[in-house]
Amino acid sequence: MKAKILVVDDETDLELLIKQKFRRQIREKLYEFVFAHDGVEALEMLAEQPDVDMVLTDINMPGMDGLTLLVKLHESNPMLKAVIVSAYGDMDNIRTAMNRGAFDFVTKPVNFEDLELTMQKTMEYVAQLRQTLQAIKENNILRMYVDESVLTFMSRTEFETAISASETVVATVLFIDICGFTAISERESADTVVRLVNRYFDVMVKEIISQGGHVDKFMGDAIMAVFRGEYHLDRAVEAALAVRGQIAALEDNLPNHPNYHPQVSIGINTGEMVSGNIGSATLRRLDYTVIGDAVNMAQRLQSIAQAGQIVIVESAQQEIAESFTCERIGEVTLKNKSAPVVVYNVLG
């Protein structure tokens, strides 16, 4: 990973030495150095270039000295770590620098091997800090959201103002239900039920993710997933076929259900739907999800699917006919639909 380093020193000789001693690393784009001649110029440069990863600074400089700069750096960006590079290596200066937030201290004349080790150690520490902060951020996000698509949404600069915004998208929705699992949950222990459903969900999620889908939500013993982008219907069908095959291959020897073989019923539908945050911003409980008639249709198709079936409507069958083999089930009447719908089962 490329590191961008701000060097703050009023001696132009140091700039030449750094460019010479680190010429290979600069050429290989391991390091990028930018230079300032005092603390004031350094702060101005940091405002213009916020992607600086660390600072190397002298102590004795005109304008703003290095010790004052340390305080300013900590106030403006606690994540930005600085290393003092100075000929004033007495214990008083070292202690003052460390107390003001210096990460380390290198004395002049500079041993460039030691300086590079110090730089690497500093960058490793900064990387660990960033990973920790990212983990905290993601954990806070996951308290409100359930899917990695939310993390992408959160990375948008307009997130705070767009929290209630929505967009119309063309996508494919997949509903997967574990058949007969209610009977299992009634007769097996709670620990067994949780272990089983987590195991099955893990299998399903891996196949959904491998086809570029996003798990929208877990609903008891069912999953709702969304596929967007190119070939979203084809990828949803591929995921469904893989889930059906993987789940059917499992076997569990349960106390009240020996040699239990799970099966799934699946409904898939594609079309226009609304994507956005649904819930209450006041309660800070939101779902980043999709809604619409196309989504409702997918759930209703799943509700009529038999164990092992992947049910789609005729228009979807025509769209995937060249890639997948389907069998006609016939006309069915779906809830809240006035006219019968012709449906198909995807065989493979």
Side-chain angles (χ1 to χ4, degrees):
M1 182 181 66
K2 183 177 181 179
K4 189 171 185 178
I5 302 164
L6 172 61
V7 181
V8 189
D9 199 305
D10 60 332
E11 296 178 8
T12 56
D13 289 345
L14 182 62
E15 179 175 341
L16 295 173
L17 279 172
I18 284 178
K19 289 180 177 178
Q20 181 184 55
K21 295 294 184 180
F22 294 106
R23 61 183 181 276
R24 178 184 60 81
Q25 293 92 329
I26 294 171
R27 186 171 60 249
E28 294 175 359
K29 300 187 183 302
L30 297 176
Y31 301 141
E32 177 186 356
F33 292 94
V34 290
F35 299 89
H37 298 100
D38 63 29
V40 174
E41 186 180 347
L43 292 175
E44 292 173 351
M45 188 167 291
L46 288 171
E48 296 171 357
Q49 303 185 45
D51 57 339
V52 169
D53 296 301
M54 66 172 291
V55 176
L56 302 176
T57 181
D58 194 7
I59 290 179
N60 189 20
M61 296 178 293
M64 182 187 293
D65 62 77
L67 296 176
T68 305
L69 176 62
L70 288 174
V71 177
K72 298 293 184 181
L73 290 177
H74 184 72
E75 290 174 351
S76 62
N77 184 2
M79 284 284 293
L80 187 60
K81 297 305 174 184
V83 173
I84 294 292
V85 182
S86 175
Y88 297 93
D90 59 276
M91 187 54 66
D92 286 342
N93 274 312
I94 292 175
R95 287 186 58 81
T96 301
M98 302 305 283
N99 287 335
R100 295 191 182 190
F103 183 78
D104 211 335
F105 200 111
V106 176
T107 57
K108 293 179 180 179
V110 177
N111 180 323
F112 283 92
E113 290 183 0
D114 178 62
L115 177 61
E116 184 168 20
L117 289 173
T118 304
M119 289 161 48
Q120 291 173 352
K121 181 179 68 173
T122 307
M123 287 305 305
E124 288 172 0
Y125 180 77
V126 170
Q128 290 173 358
L129 277 180
R130 288 173 175 169
Q131 289 172 4
T132 300
L133 288 176
Q134 181 67 16
I136 293 171
K137 178 182 176 182
E138 292 176 1
N139 184 58
N140 289 335
I141 294 169
L142 290 173
R143 292 177 183 176
M144 294 174 62
Y145 297 90
V146 296
D147 182 66
E148 67 176 272
S149 60
V150 176
L151 300 181
T152 302
F153 176 73
M154 283 289 292
S155 67
R156 299 178 185 174
T157 56
E158 69 274 16
F159 168 72
E160 292 295 338
T161 56
I163 198 164
S164 60
S166 62
E167 60 178 335
T168 301
V169 298
V170 176
T172 296
V173 177
L174 169 76
F175 281 89
I176 308 172
D177 183 72
I178 305 171
C179 300
F181 203 74
T182 300
I184 297 293
S185 62
E186 289 174 350
R187 299 187 61 188
E188 302 294 339
S189 69
D191 287 346
T192 299
V193 171
V194 171
R195 177 180 59 82
L196 283 178
V197 76
N198 284 342
R199 181 188 177 200
Y200 301 155
F201 278 170
D202 193 46
V203 170
M204 298 177 196
V205 168
K206 287 178 180 176
E207 298 301 338
I208 291 167
I209 291 175
S210 71
Q211 291 297 331
H214 298 291
V215 175
D216 185 276
K217 59 176 65 71
F218 298 100
M219 305 172 296
D221 56 2
I223 285 182
M224 171 183 169
V226 182
F227 294 77
R228 298 172 63 170
E230 291 186 336
Y231 303 105
H232 49 86
L233 176 57
D234 290 63
R235 290 186 286 108
V237 173
E238 291 281 11
L241 290 168
V243 166
R244 183 175 67 184
Q246 293 279 2
I247 293 295
L250 299 178
E251 180 179 346
D252 289 285
N253 191 16
L254 307 178
N256 297 304
H257 296 82
N259 302 319
Y260 171 65
H261 291 272
Q263 286 187 293
V264 292
S265 60
I266 301 174
I268 300 175
N269 195 42
T270 189
E272 196 173 85
M273 56 198 70
V274 177
S275 172
N277 291 285
I278 307 298
S280 170
T282 302
L283 292 177
R284 300 191 64 80
R285 297 296 299 175
L286 301 169
D287 280 332
Y288 189 62
T289 187
V290 290
I291 58 174
D293 184 64
V295 179
N296 297 336
M297 175 68 82
Q299 190 167 26
R300 288 166 187 149
L301 292 174
Q302 182 279 312
S303 69
I304 66 164
Q306 302 298 310
Q309 286 188 331
I310 301 170
V311 178
I312 60 175
V313 295
E314 189 170 31
S315 59
Q317 183 272 331
Q318 293 172 354
E319 190 173 337
I320 64 171
E322 293 184 358
S323 302
F324 300 94
T325 301
C326 303
E327 64 175 358
R328 190 178 190 272
I329 296 175
E331 287 189 348
V332 297
T333 301
L334 300 176
K335 182 180 178 181
N336 296 331
K337 292 293 180 183
S338 57
V341 177
V342 177
V343 295
Y344 286 76
N345 175 35
V346 181
L347 299 178

